Amino acid sequence: MSHADSPPVPAEPLHATGESADLASSFRMATFRLARRLRAQRAVDSLSDGQFAVLAALKMSGPRTLGELADRERVTPPSMNRTVNCLEESGYVTRTPDADDRRKVNVAVTDEGRAVVDETIRRRDAWLEEALASLEPDERRTLAAAAEIMREVAAR
């Protein structure tokens, strides 16, 4: 077999080993624990994480079709339909026929749904502010730098 026929060698190992594996595992666990604590801070206890994600997406991006919401949340259209049904029954979203394609329905957040998103974000920010206030200034600076790195990693 000539050099040109040999299989490509990955530039990076497929599985991290040693120190980088330990860091990855530790970072993943800490990130999930923090995310769980933040998710617990919500305005409506009966609202699932998936339902909140849909409300927040509608608040940020405006009305969307069920298909667009399903794609965004990486769920099936029937699953998204069940989520939207629950949100609609609670008064957090409305459905209106699409002006251009009557087969489609647009889902929009209501004022009550917006208020739930705003209050949940306020509670989560307040909880995190209180937690960060107990840290030393150099620890807060480290977390600020880590936040920027996390944004870069998440964008890959």
Side-chain angles (χ1 to χ4, degrees), residues 105-125:
V105 173
N106 290 307
V107 181
V109 67
T110 63
D111 289 342
E112 189 175 352
R114 256 190 250 21
V116 167
V117 172
D118 291 343
E119 177 60 15
T120 297
I121 290 170
R122 188 200 64 75
R123 288 179 185 208
R124 289 175 178 177
D125 286 350

PDB file of all heavy atoms in Angstrom, residues 105-125:
ATOM      1  N   VAL A 105     -49.459  26.209  11.114  1.00  0.00           N
ATOM      2  CA  VAL A 105     -49.945  26.982  12.247  1.00  0.00           C
ATOM      3  C   VAL A 105     -48.747  27.667  12.880  1.00  0.00           C
ATOM      4  O   VAL A 105     -47.699  27.050  13.082  1.00  0.00           O
ATOM      5  CB  VAL A 105     -50.629  26.059  13.282  1.00  0.00           C
ATOM      6  CG1 VAL A 105     -50.984  26.814  14.536  1.00  0.00           C
ATOM      7  CG2 VAL A 105     -51.868  25.412  12.678  1.00  0.00           C
ATOM      8  N   ASN A 106     -48.889  28.945  13.164  1.00  0.00           N
ATOM      9  CA  ASN A 106     -47.828  29.684  13.859  1.00  0.00           C
ATOM     10  C   ASN A 106     -48.126  29.702  15.347  1.00  0.00           C
ATOM     11  O   ASN A 106     -49.264  29.918  15.765  1.00  0.00           O
ATOM     12  CB  ASN A 106     -47.728  31.109  13.318  1.00  0.00           C
ATOM     13  CG  ASN A 106     -47.179  31.128  11.915  1.00  0.00           C
ATOM     14  OD1 ASN A 106     -46.129  30.566  11.641  1.00  0.00           O
ATOM     15  ND2 ASN A 106     -47.899  31.746  11.006  1.00  0.00           N
ATOM     16  N   VAL A 107     -47.089  29.487  16.121  1.00  0.00           N
ATOM     17  CA  VAL A 107     -47.198  29.490  17.572  1.00  0.00           C
ATOM     18  C   VAL A 107     -46.509  30.751  18.080  1.00  0.00           C
ATOM     19  O   VAL A 107     -45.386  31.055  17.677  1.00  0.00           O
ATOM     20  CB  VAL A 107     -46.529  28.238  18.181  1.00  0.00           C
ATOM     21  CG1 VAL A 107     -46.660  28.231  19.702  1.00  0.00           C
ATOM     22  CG2 VAL A 107     -47.110  26.963  17.581  1.00  0.00           C
ATOM     23  N   ALA A 108     -47.201  31.478  18.951  1.00  0.00           N
ATOM     24  CA  ALA A 108     -46.646  32.719  19.502  1.00  0.00           C
ATOM     25  C   ALA A 108     -46.809  32.714  21.021  1.00  0.00           C
ATOM     26  O   ALA A 108     -47.768  32.155  21.559  1.00  0.00           O
ATOM     27  CB  ALA A 108     -47.360  33.931  18.909  1.00  0.00           C
ATOM     28  N   VAL A 109     -45.880  33.348  21.693  1.00  0.00           N
ATOM     29  CA  VAL A 109     -45.956  33.462  23.148  1.00  0.00           C
ATOM     30  C   VAL A 109     -46.964  34.556  23.514  1.00  0.00           C
ATOM     31  O   VAL A 109     -47.065  35.577  22.833  1.00  0.00           O
ATOM     32  CB  VAL A 109     -44.553  33.733  23.747  1.00  0.00           C
ATOM     33  CG1 VAL A 109     -44.026  35.091  23.352  1.00  0.00           C
ATOM     34  CG2 VAL A 109     -44.548  33.566  25.258  1.00  0.00           C
ATOM     35  N   THR A 110     -47.709  34.323  24.598  1.00  0.00           N
ATOM     36  CA  THR A 110     -48.663  35.321  25.094  1.00  0.00           C
ATOM     37  C   THR A 110     -47.963  36.213  26.119  1.00  0.00           C
ATOM     38  O   THR A 110     -46.826  35.944  26.533  1.00  0.00           O
ATOM     39  CB  THR A 110     -49.867  34.639  25.777  1.00  0.00           C
ATOM     40  OG1 THR A 110     -49.383  33.919  26.929  1.00  0.00           O
ATOM     41  CG2 THR A 110     -50.601  33.705  24.829  1.00  0.00           C
ATOM     42  N   ASP A 111     -48.658  37.262  26.549  1.00  0.00           N
ATOM     43  CA  ASP A 111     -48.106  38.119  27.604  1.00  0.00           C
ATOM     44  C   ASP A 111     -47.836  37.315  28.863  1.00  0.00           C
ATOM     45  O   ASP A 111     -46.820  37.523  29.541  1.00  0.00           O
ATOM     46  CB  ASP A 111     -49.060  39.274  27.911  1.00  0.00           C
ATOM     47  CG  ASP A 111     -49.105  40.309  26.790  1.00  0.00           C
ATOM     48  OD1 ASP A 111     -48.169  40.330  25.949  1.00  0.00           O
ATOM     49  OD2 ASP A 111     -50.068  41.088  26.748  1.00  0.00           O
ATOM     50  N   GLU A 112     -48.732  36.381  29.182  1.00  0.00           N
ATOM     51  CA  GLU A 112     -48.527  35.537  30.370  1.00  0.00           C
ATOM     52  C   GLU A 112     -47.293  34.648  30.198  1.00  0.00           C
ATOM     53  O   GLU A 112     -46.512  34.469  31.132  1.00  0.00           O
ATOM     54  CB  GLU A 112     -49.777  34.678  30.620  1.00  0.00           C
ATOM     55  CG  GLU A 112     -49.723  33.937  31.939  1.00  0.00           C
ATOM     56  CD  GLU A 112     -51.010  33.179  32.246  1.00  0.00           C
ATOM     57  OE1 GLU A 112     -52.006  33.322  31.528  1.00  0.00           O
ATOM     58  OE2 GLU A 112     -50.996  32.441  33.243  1.00  0.00           O
ATOM     59  N   GLY A 113     -47.090  34.115  29.004  1.00  0.00           N
ATOM     60  CA  GLY A 113     -45.897  33.306  28.736  1.00  0.00           C
ATOM     61  C   GLY A 113     -44.631  34.127  28.824  1.00  0.00           C
ATOM     62  O   GLY A 113     -43.614  33.681  29.368  1.00  0.00           O
ATOM     63  N   ARG A 114     -44.678  35.365  28.296  1.00  0.00           N
ATOM     64  CA  ARG A 114     -43.521  36.272  28.404  1.00  0.00           C
ATOM     65  C   ARG A 114     -43.183  36.545  29.858  1.00  0.00           C
ATOM     66  O   ARG A 114     -42.016  36.590  30.237  1.00  0.00           O
ATOM     67  CB  ARG A 114     -43.825  37.594  27.689  1.00  0.00           C
ATOM     68  CG  ARG A 114     -43.157  37.745  26.342  1.00  0.00           C
ATOM     69  CD  ARG A 114     -43.299  39.142  25.801  1.00  0.00           C
ATOM     70  NE  ARG A 114     -44.123  39.468  24.690  1.00  0.00           N
ATOM     71  CZ  ARG A 114     -45.144  38.839  24.147  1.00  0.00           C
ATOM     72  NH1 ARG A 114     -45.563  37.756  24.628  1.00  0.00           N
ATOM     73  NH2 ARG A 114     -45.789  39.259  23.106  1.00  0.00           N
ATOM     74  N   ALA A 115     -44.225  36.751  30.676  1.00  0.00           N
ATOM     75  CA  ALA A 115     -44.011  37.036  32.096  1.00  0.00           C
ATOM     76  C   ALA A 115     -43.347  35.849  32.793  1.00  0.00           C
ATOM     77  O   ALA A 115     -42.476  36.039  33.653  1.00  0.00           O
ATOM     78  CB  ALA A 115     -45.337  37.379  32.765  1.00  0.00           C
ATOM     79  N   VAL A 116     -43.726  34.622  32.420  1.00  0.00           N
ATOM     80  CA  VAL A 116     -43.109  33.425  33.000  1.00  0.00           C
ATOM     81  C   VAL A 116     -41.627  33.372  32.636  1.00  0.00           C
ATOM     82  O   VAL A 116     -40.773  33.092  33.486  1.00  0.00           O
ATOM     83  CB  VAL A 116     -43.842  32.144  32.544  1.00  0.00           C
ATOM     84  CG1 VAL A 116     -43.038  30.892  32.878  1.00  0.00           C
ATOM     85  CG2 VAL A 116     -45.227  32.074  33.159  1.00  0.00           C
ATOM     86  N   VAL A 117     -41.303  33.649  31.371  1.00  0.00           N
ATOM     87  CA  VAL A 117     -39.900  33.647  30.938  1.00  0.00           C
ATOM     88  C   VAL A 117     -39.123  34.726  31.691  1.00  0.00           C
ATOM     89  O   VAL A 117     -38.042  34.464  32.239  1.00  0.00           O
ATOM     90  CB  VAL A 117     -39.788  33.852  29.411  1.00  0.00           C
ATOM     91  CG1 VAL A 117     -38.330  34.046  28.994  1.00  0.00           C
ATOM     92  CG2 VAL A 117     -40.406  32.673  28.669  1.00  0.00           C
ATOM     93  N   ASP A 118     -39.661  35.932  31.742  1.00  0.00           N
ATOM     94  CA  ASP A 118     -38.971  37.037  32.416  1.00  0.00           C
ATOM     95  C   ASP A 118     -38.739  36.739  33.894  1.00  0.00           C
ATOM     96  O   ASP A 118     -37.642  36.979  34.417  1.00  0.00           O
ATOM     97  CB  ASP A 118     -39.762  38.341  32.270  1.00  0.00           C
ATOM     98  CG  ASP A 118     -39.770  38.871  30.841  1.00  0.00           C
ATOM     99  OD1 ASP A 118     -38.924  38.441  30.025  1.00  0.00           O
ATOM    100  OD2 ASP A 118     -40.640  39.714  30.541  1.00  0.00           O
ATOM    101  N   GLU A 119     -39.748  36.207  34.580  1.00  0.00           N
ATOM    102  CA  GLU A 119     -39.608  35.918  36.008  1.00  0.00           C
ATOM    103  C   GLU A 119     -38.636  34.772  36.248  1.00  0.00           C
ATOM    104  O   GLU A 119     -37.853  34.801  37.189  1.00  0.00           O
ATOM    105  CB  GLU A 119     -40.974  35.602  36.631  1.00  0.00           C
ATOM    106  CG  GLU A 119     -40.922  35.227  38.100  1.00  0.00           C
ATOM    107  CD  GLU A 119     -40.330  36.302  39.021  1.00  0.00           C
ATOM    108  OE1 GLU A 119     -40.197  37.479  38.612  1.00  0.00           O
ATOM    109  OE2 GLU A 119     -39.984  35.946  40.173  1.00  0.00           O
ATOM    110  N   THR A 120     -38.651  33.768  35.385  1.00  0.00           N
ATOM    111  CA  THR A 120     -37.706  32.654  35.531  1.00  0.00           C
ATOM    112  C   THR A 120     -36.280  33.151  35.344  1.00  0.00           C
ATOM    113  O   THR A 120     -35.387  32.806  36.131  1.00  0.00           O
ATOM    114  CB  THR A 120     -38.045  31.528  34.532  1.00  0.00           C
ATOM    115  OG1 THR A 120     -39.348  31.020  34.837  1.00  0.00           O
ATOM    116  CG2 THR A 120     -37.028  30.401  34.596  1.00  0.00           C
ATOM    117  N   ILE A 121     -36.056  33.974  34.335  1.00  0.00           N
ATOM    118  CA  ILE A 121     -34.715  34.527  34.111  1.00  0.00           C
ATOM    119  C   ILE A 121     -34.296  35.385  35.292  1.00  0.00           C
ATOM    120  O   ILE A 121     -33.150  35.321  35.750  1.00  0.00           O
ATOM    121  CB  ILE A 121     -34.670  35.309  32.777  1.00  0.00           C
ATOM    122  CG1 ILE A 121     -34.783  34.337  31.607  1.00  0.00           C
ATOM    123  CG2 ILE A 121     -33.411  36.161  32.671  1.00  0.00           C
ATOM    124  CD1 ILE A 121     -34.995  34.997  30.260  1.00  0.00           C
ATOM    125  N   ARG A 122     -35.213  36.198  35.817  1.00  0.00           N
ATOM    126  CA  ARG A 122     -34.897  37.033  36.972  1.00  0.00           C
ATOM    127  C   ARG A 122     -34.486  36.170  38.161  1.00  0.00           C
ATOM    128  O   ARG A 122     -33.484  36.442  38.827  1.00  0.00           O
ATOM    129  CB  ARG A 122     -36.104  37.897  37.350  1.00  0.00           C
ATOM    130  CG  ARG A 122     -35.773  38.934  38.442  1.00  0.00           C
ATOM    131  CD  ARG A 122     -37.001  39.445  39.162  1.00  0.00           C
ATOM    132  NE  ARG A 122     -37.706  38.437  39.911  1.00  0.00           N
ATOM    133  CZ  ARG A 122     -37.293  37.920  41.089  1.00  0.00           C
ATOM    134  NH1 ARG A 122     -36.162  38.299  41.622  1.00  0.00           N
ATOM    135  NH2 ARG A 122     -38.023  37.011  41.704  1.00  0.00           N
ATOM    136  N   ARG A 123     -35.223  35.097  38.423  1.00  0.00           N
ATOM    137  CA  ARG A 123     -34.898  34.205  39.548  1.00  0.00           C
ATOM    138  C   ARG A 123     -33.552  33.518  39.350  1.00  0.00           C
ATOM    139  O   ARG A 123     -32.769  33.391  40.293  1.00  0.00           O
ATOM    140  CB  ARG A 123     -35.990  33.147  39.725  1.00  0.00           C
ATOM    141  CG  ARG A 123     -37.272  33.701  40.280  1.00  0.00           C
ATOM    142  CD  ARG A 123     -38.314  32.615  40.412  1.00  0.00           C
ATOM    143  NE  ARG A 123     -39.592  33.166  40.827  1.00  0.00           N
ATOM    144  CZ  ARG A 123     -40.491  32.495  41.505  1.00  0.00           C
ATOM    145  NH1 ARG A 123     -40.278  31.241  41.857  1.00  0.00           N
ATOM    146  NH2 ARG A 123     -41.625  33.067  41.841  1.00  0.00           N
ATOM    147  N   ARG A 124     -33.295  33.079  38.142  1.00  0.00           N
ATOM    148  CA  ARG A 124     -32.026  32.395  37.871  1.00  0.00           C
ATOM    149  C   ARG A 124     -30.852  33.355  38.022  1.00  0.00           C
ATOM    150  O   ARG A 124     -29.824  33.003  38.610  1.00  0.00           O
ATOM    151  CB  ARG A 124     -32.056  31.758  36.485  1.00  0.00           C
ATOM    152  CG  ARG A 124     -32.986  30.562  36.451  1.00  0.00           C
ATOM    153  CD  ARG A 124     -33.155  29.951  35.086  1.00  0.00           C
ATOM    154  NE  ARG A 124     -34.020  28.782  35.195  1.00  0.00           N
ATOM    155  CZ  ARG A 124     -34.419  28.055  34.177  1.00  0.00           C
ATOM    156  NH1 ARG A 124     -34.043  28.358  32.945  1.00  0.00           N
ATOM    157  NH2 ARG A 124     -35.200  27.017  34.368  1.00  0.00           N
ATOM    158  N   ASP A 125     -31.000  34.564  37.496  1.00  0.00           N
ATOM    159  CA  ASP A 125     -29.935  35.557  37.639  1.00  0.00           C
ATOM    160  C   ASP A 125     -29.719  35.924  39.102  1.00  0.00           C
ATOM    161  O   ASP A 125     -28.573  36.050  39.549  1.00  0.00           O
ATOM    162  CB  ASP A 125     -30.251  36.816  36.829  1.00  0.00           C
ATOM    163  CG  ASP A 125     -30.060  36.623  35.333  1.00  0.00           C
ATOM    164  OD1 ASP A 125     -29.507  35.581  34.916  1.00  0.00           O
ATOM    165  OD2 ASP A 125     -30.480  37.522  34.577  1.00  0.00           O
TER     166      ASP A 125
END
